Amino acid sequence: MSRHHRLASAAAVLCLAGLSTSAIADNGEVNVYTYRETKLVQPLFAAFTKETGIKVNVVSASSGLEQRMKAEGANSPADVLLTVDIGRIDEAVQAGVTQPIKSEVIDKIVPAQYRDPDGQWAGISMRARVIYASKDRVKQDSITYEELADPKWKGKICIRSGQHIYNNALFAAYVAKHGEAKAEEWLRGVKANLAQKPSGGDRETARDVAAGKCDLGIGNTYYWALMMNGDPDKKPWAEATRVILPTFADGGTHVNLSGVLLAKHAPNKANGIKLIEWLAGEQAQQMYADINYEYPVRSGVTLNPTIAGYGQLKADPMPIAKIARSRKAASTLVDKVGFDN
Amino acid sequence: MTAGPNTSPVATTISLLAALIVAAPVVSIGILALQPAPDVWPHLVAYVLPQALRDTALLLAGVAVVTLLLGAGTAWLISLYDFPGRRLLLWLMPLPLAIPTYIGAYVYVDLFEPLGLAHRALMLWLPTQDAVALLPNLRSLPGAVALIGVVLYPYVYLSVRATLQYQSAEFIEAARTLGAGKWHVFWRISLPMARPALALGLALVCLETLNDIGASEYLGVRTLTVAVFTTWLNRGSLPGAAQTSCLMLAIVIVLVAIERYGRRNASVEFSSESPRLLQRRPLTGLKGALSFAACFSPMLFGFIVPLLFLINQSVKRGLLSDAGAPLLRDAFNSVGFASLATLLALSLGFAVVFAHRWRPTALRAVTMTIAQAGYALPGLVLAIGLLIPVLAIDNGLNTLAAWLNQPPPGLIIVGSGGAVILAYVIRFLAVPTGLIRAGAERIPRDYDDCARAAGAGHMTAMRRIHLPLLRPAMMGAVIVVFVDCLKELPATLLLRPLNVETLATSIYQYASRGSFEEGALAALLIVAASIGPVAWLTRFSDLPNGPA
């Protein structure tokens, strides 16, 4: 009895799933594989559909999408891949599942530093990796990444795992700037300054600073804004801290990209390019700034007030592609110095 | 040994098929691992493995001890004694299964870290910093042991309870007549007789712990699984990650071997001479209250506290008013996928175990072992391994269609959600196989021989004898597999079709942004979907003097 029920409901699921895929060949659609959470990109896609009449189909995952595209091969339904980090961008390009985005619009809007010279990917929004400093205990208003290894911060820094993609990208930028030997020395210095074993996420880092476990936390710009504006429980964590935009001694603040790539076998290539160009357009860029608390790649877009309150972002000029190539060295160094131990 | 007439080509075929399905992703990971990854191993050996192996071993040992104490202890109390509130506990005890490990970790870190509820309560009496000093450090190895243990104990509870149901009265009554106390009976009779089930439950706990990535990473415990993902994602070496996975597989084979050792000689302990089952002894007064508290506490921490947290977040954030058709559709998808996978896994598990029981050949023993290998791979590694064979079939069908001048069918298995169901079956087939096998080993082979002597075929004997006797084992298997499927995240994320969300993937949409509380309602629906089968099935689990 109940088995029949279950069978029936399972069959219905399959039918539903079948319905959603059977229309793939239609011209009025674009299929997006995304590392960005659906809930975050859904408002953007809804606006895109409203404006263009092109339906957006989505599947989101945390890792492995390029492996799926590779296995799907020429029959892959994917048109566009969205990522949250330069690491994932790099992986997709390495896996050979992309094709150049040939678009004058993108070349014009996105600064050269934030797109691939060969056109394999383009950055669409940015976040900076910054300091959450205790309001009570930290007096200085500026700080360099290099300074984080200074013994004066001994026992005063909190950070999540050194292997997390955000830290991996920051450390890779350090390697790209100063070379492996210097980076190793720096990582050992930062490790010696940690108040506790790396764990938790960027929100917990802010919480630890607020609770007095440490004076400096390292986190992304939008987490702080989300705590400040989104969640009454977490607001005190943000309120006990302030954001300092750190810089490299001879450069600017480390930024990471959410990027967009065009699938090699995109069945709806024209719609895919339309979506990519739309994401770099004014409306989408404004939504990235307002809803997601990110920095737009397009100039002339008004920042969210909380983000603007951090001060003028002076992004480091190091090309993102060069940082991506140092990720492996950074990951290796983290293990070598026992950063997470 | 029962060398019956070979009337089971069907069983052989099905069990071979089961082994083939499970082997497919394992083999494709093996092939990936054959590619050279020259610079990976010197690094891993020098800097990662010593620490990862130590952390993994300590975590596994710690969680095993915690779940052994909580799971076996409560199963023993509930199976052998009657005390106030026992009937309520009967269906509450398995429910921590419905709380995904990473959610348990988030909830407790939120409650017990500085500025959390516990801290604010302490601050009523103490200055802030003194109160901080009193808080437990949950983001640590001991913290991970406690948090993972308290949600995973039901694996041990369910498998041990399935066995203790059929605790033969004579041994225990004999022991009691000889003046043995409760503890003596427990250590010398109940525990050794439950050993196969205990070993199985602990093996499941260890595999689940080994595969966990969310909770370990969050709590700062760097296990082998974390090393696999770092090798793949940060050092860009999928072959290196595949090789590390193979190392994990080797560890799992050792765990399975230990489990085998745990149930060695198990079948000789049971004869058909003692069908009379033990009556539960009443415990009243202080003893009854203590027994209730002992069972209630692990469930309180593993289930009620996370449940209240999720309810509170859902209400406070007004999630209920936003919920609508999409969430219901997600729930429908979850239950549909999980039901079909459970049914398939249970059937395959049965076929594999009984093919071996009816006619134990080396081939069937091997298929049974392979059928249990899927649990050994982390969900995401399994999904990567499954992509290759499944899409080879999908792409092959398209090529075939083109050759026949037919319109291309598209990617049928992945596009229909079939890949998700396959992944669930592969991942969790070890549960029904293990539980049914442990249960079947307690059924004396005399029964099979008698049935055959009476002219009953395999199917009749199965329907009239084995199925009824295996009911507790099957109940346990259905609960565990169904709930595990509802919770499964990494394989579901990677293998599901476009525009299909389940409850677990719906929670994930918020979790990676650090605000998993926004997914509290979806998490509650996972709990709700789990309560149904657990409550329904446990009604039948209380034999012989239960209501069934």
Side-chain angles (χ1 to χ4, degrees):
Chain A
M1 172 64 192
S2 77
R3 283 187 183 187
H4 288 287
H5 266 303
R6 273 190 232 139
L7 265 179
S9 57
V13 168
L14 289 181
C15 291
L16 274 183
L19 278 179
S20 62
T21 48
S22 61
I24 277 167
D26 257 323
N27 287 329
E29 295 193 320
V30 59
N31 300 319
V32 179
Y33 284 16
T34 173
Y35 285 125
R36 304 222 73 170
E37 304 84 328
T38 339
K39 306 276 189 240
L40 274 179
V41 286
Q42 215 59 271
L44 287 160
F45 294 159
F48 172 73
T49 304
K50 201 173 159 200
E51 192 176 316
T52 61
I54 299 170
K55 182 170 183 268
V56 186
N57 301 309
V58 188
V59 66
S60 64
S62 53
S63 36
L65 284 173
E66 58 288 324
Q67 295 301 324
R68 174 164 169 179
M69 289 165 78
K70 202 171 164 183
E72 286 173 340
N75 292 311
S76 174
D79 295 307
V80 170
L81 175 67
L82 289 181
T83 75
V84 280
D85 176 82
I86 56 172
R88 300 281 191 281
I89 295 177
D90 196 40
E91 259 155 55
V93 176
Q94 297 301 325
V97 295
T98 59
Q99 61 174 314
I101 306 165
K102 293 194 179 103
S103 159
E104 286 174 11
V105 177
I106 289 296
D107 291 353
K108 208 175 114 206
I109 295 173
V110 182
Q113 181 195 355
Y114 301 131
R115 56 186 159 81
D116 182 40
D118 303 328
Q120 297 286 350
W121 54 267
I124 226 68
S125 68
M126 301 185 287
R127 65 282 302 278
R129 194 125 183 96
V130 297
I131 305 291
Y132 307 155
S134 162
K135 268 185 185 164
D136 298 338
R137 299 182 299 279
V138 178
K139 296 300 165 210
Q140 63 192 76
D141 291 324
S142 66
I143 192 168
T144 62
Y145 291 110
E146 285 82 353
E147 200 188 320
L148 294 174
D150 190 320
K152 75 173 177 181
W153 297 116
K154 193 163 183 57
K156 297 203 155 79
I157 299 178
C158 283
I159 190 169
R160 74 195 303 174
S161 164
Q163 294 290 9
H164 189 271
I165 50 172
Y166 302 147
N167 285 335
N168 182 233
L170 171 62
F171 298 166
Y174 203 99
V175 171
K177 252 182 192 301
H178 296 294
E180 282 192 44
K182 284 265 179 61
E184 181 177 339
E185 196 186 316
W186 177 72
L187 273 177
R188 286 190 197 280
V190 178
K191 168 70 184 167
N193 286 344
L194 296 185
Q196 60 185 9
K197 191 175 155 161
S199 61
D202 287 0
R203 290 198 313 175
E204 283 72 21
T205 298
R207 180 181 194 167
D208 290 339
V209 175
K213 280 193 190 173
C214 34
D215 292 352
L216 301 178
I218 295 164
N220 279 359
T221 36
Y222 58 84
Y223 279 113
W224 197 91
L226 279 168
M227 288 185 285
M228 199 61 178
N229 300 315
D231 188 336
D233 280 353
K234 273 81 192 172
K235 199 166 180 182
W237 308 355
E239 279 173 340
T241 60
R242 66 201 163 98
V243 170
I244 303 177
L245 299 179
T247 59
F248 284 102
D250 60 343
T253 304
H254 167 71
V255 296
N256 205 330
L257 286 180
S258 82
V260 57
L261 304 95
L262 185 62
K264 189 177 184 181
H265 301 287
N268 313 295
K269 186 176 165 185
N271 285 348
I273 291 181
K274 245 183 230 171
L275 176 64
I276 291 171
E277 290 178 346
W278 187 87
L279 288 173
E282 270 175 44
Q283 186 188 354
Q285 290 287 300
Q286 194 62 59
M287 289 177 82
Y288 271 116
D290 289 340
I291 303 176
N292 296 354
Y293 301 101
E294 287 177 277
Y295 291 99
V297 289
R298 186 188 179 103
S299 54
V301 177
T302 319
L303 287 180
N304 173 282
T306 306
I307 300 290
Y310 300 161
Q312 181 68 40
L313 175 73
K314 183 188 155 208
D316 192 72
M318 171 78 65
I320 295 292
K322 198 175 166 200
I323 299 177
R325 283 195 294 276
S326 301
R327 288 174 56 239
K328 186 178 164 191
S331 168
T332 307
L333 286 179
V334 164
D335 286 340
K336 197 173 166 192
V337 308
F339 193 85
D340 285 348
N341 289 353
Chain B
M1 286 290 153
T2 359
N6 190 7
T7 56
S8 52
V10 180
T12 308
T13 315
I14 296 177
S15 65
L16 271 176
L17 183 75
L20 195 70
I21 294 175
V22 174
V26 179
V27 168
S28 82
I29 289 296
I31 292 172
L32 273 176
L34 288 178
Q35 294 172 34
D39 51 347
V40 168
W41 283 94
H43 174 77
L44 287 181
V45 170
Y47 303 117
V48 180
L49 288 183
Q51 176 276 336
L53 285 171
R54 195 196 64 215
D55 269 18
T56 307
L58 288 176
L59 182 69
L60 290 184
V63 172
V65 169
V66 170
T67 53
L68 174 72
L69 291 176
L70 299 182
T74 53
W76 173 69
L77 277 175
I78 283 188
S79 301
L80 268 63
Y81 297 96
D82 255 326
F83 48 88
R86 177 182 173 279
R87 301 203 51 94
L88 179 73
L89 287 169
L90 215 50
W91 69 273
L92 284 177
M93 290 309 288
L95 287 179
L97 274 184
I99 305 291
T101 326
Y102 61 91
I103 292 210
Y106 277 127
V107 168
Y108 278 99
V109 166
D110 198 75
L111 291 177
F112 283 96
E113 292 266 284
L115 310 181
L117 191 65
H119 187 208
R120 289 202 298 273
L122 284 173
M123 268 157 45
L124 296 177
W125 298 282
L126 292 168
T128 307
Q129 288 310 313
D130 293 358
V132 167
L134 284 178
L135 295 171
N137 181 15
L138 292 177
R139 278 187 269 153
S140 63
L141 187 69
V145 165
L147 294 187
I148 295 177
V150 86
V151 290
L152 292 189
Y153 80 81
Y155 289 98
V156 176
Y157 167 84
L158 283 170
S159 55
V160 170
R161 181 154 156 69
T163 319
L164 288 183
Q165 284 291 304
Y166 289 103
Q167 185 87 56
S168 167
E170 297 193 345
F171 294 107
I172 291 181
E173 278 165 5
R176 281 177 183 161
T177 319
L178 293 171
K182 259 201 280 299
W183 290 106
H184 205 68
V185 168
F186 177 67
W187 283 113
R188 300 297 298 275
I189 313 259
S190 298
L191 197 62
M193 285 174 73
R195 198 173 57 197
L198 205 56
L200 173 70
L202 286 176
L204 292 179
V205 163
C206 288
L207 290 169
E208 194 70 19
T209 308
L210 193 61
N211 287 342
D212 168 78
I213 173 96
S216 317
E217 202 184 20
Y218 184 72
L219 299 171
V221 181
R222 287 164 57 234
T223 60
L224 271 175
T225 314
V226 175
V228 169
F229 286 100
T230 309
T231 303
W232 173 28
L233 297 172
N234 289 359
R235 289 196 283 280
S237 178
L238 191 53
Q243 288 163 11
T244 320
S245 299
C246 289
L247 176 71
M248 280 176 57
L249 205 58
I251 293 177
V252 168
I253 289 168
V254 171
L255 287 178
V256 171
I258 292 173
E259 191 242 327
R260 285 280 152 75
Y261 182 79
R263 67 159 76 133
R264 73 196 187 284
N265 306 331
S267 56
V268 300
E269 291 173 14
F270 308 104
S271 80
S272 50
E273 302 295 315
S274 53
R276 194 169 54 83
L277 297 166
L278 189 74
Q279 294 293 312
R280 284 189 301 277
R281 286 189 152 191
L283 292 176
T284 51
L286 184 64
K287 277 182 181 171
L290 283 179
S291 302
F292 179 80
C295 295
F296 189 78
S297 316
M299 193 278 304
L300 174 73
F301 290 111
F303 180 66
I304 304 257
V305 170
L307 179 76
L308 291 177
F309 184 92
L310 294 172
I311 292 176
N312 180 36
Q313 292 293 340
S314 301
V315 172
K316 201 162 67 179
R317 286 158 193 271
L319 298 177
L320 266 173
S321 57
D322 298 342
L327 200 58
L328 277 180
R329 196 194 51 215
D330 297 351
F332 184 73
N333 287 342
S334 275
V335 172
F337 284 146
S339 307
L340 201 57
T342 305
L343 192 61
L344 266 172
L346 195 66
S347 315
L348 289 179
F350 243 107
V352 167
V353 172
F354 275 84
H356 183 256
R357 185 180 177 98
W358 288 336
R359 201 176 169 80
T361 63
L363 177 70
R364 291 170 183 200
V366 169
T367 59
M368 187 151 65
T369 307
I370 293 176
Q372 302 192 51
Y375 219 69
L377 291 174
L380 188 57
V381 174
L382 169 82
I384 295 281
L386 193 60
L387 276 174
I388 298 162
V390 161
L391 282 158
I393 297 173
D394 270 350
N395 283 322
L397 289 173
N398 281 277
T399 312
L400 185 70
W403 186 65
L404 295 171
N405 282 326
Q406 298 294 315
L411 303 173
I412 296 174
I413 305 179
V414 174
S416 65
V420 174
I421 292 172
L422 270 178
Y424 290 171
V425 171
I426 294 167
R427 178 113 164 70
F428 302 124
L429 184 55
V431 176
T433 309
L435 281 174
I436 291 171
R437 186 179 172 191
E441 276 172 3
R442 300 186 61 101
I443 301 174
R445 287 183 184 271
D446 301 1
Y447 289 8
D448 300 38
D449 296 339
C450 291
R452 208 175 54 249
H458 279 324
M459 294 317 285
T460 313
M462 178 134 125
R463 190 163 47 81
R464 302 280 296 271
I465 297 171
H466 299 120
L467 276 182
L469 287 173
L470 282 173
R471 201 159 62 186
M474 282 160 55
M475 298 298 139
V478 166
I479 292 174
V480 171
V481 177
F482 182 78
V483 178
D484 265 348
C485 288
L486 288 182
K487 287 188 299 182
E488 208 287 334
L489 181 61
T492 319
L493 273 177
L494 188 58
L495 297 173
R496 72 200 196 284
L498 284 161
N499 298 341
V500 172
E501 298 286 346
T502 66
L503 292 172
T505 67
S506 177
I507 301 172
Y508 157 79
Q509 305 304 339
Y510 302 103
S512 53
R513 189 83 172 187
S515 52
F516 85 101
E517 299 95 335
E518 296 284 335
L521 193 58
L524 277 180
L525 282 181
I526 289 187
V527 173
S530 309
I531 286 179
V534 168
W536 183 71
L537 290 168
T538 44
R539 272 182 59 214
F540 300 95
S541 77
D542 212 4
L543 299 169
N545 38 2

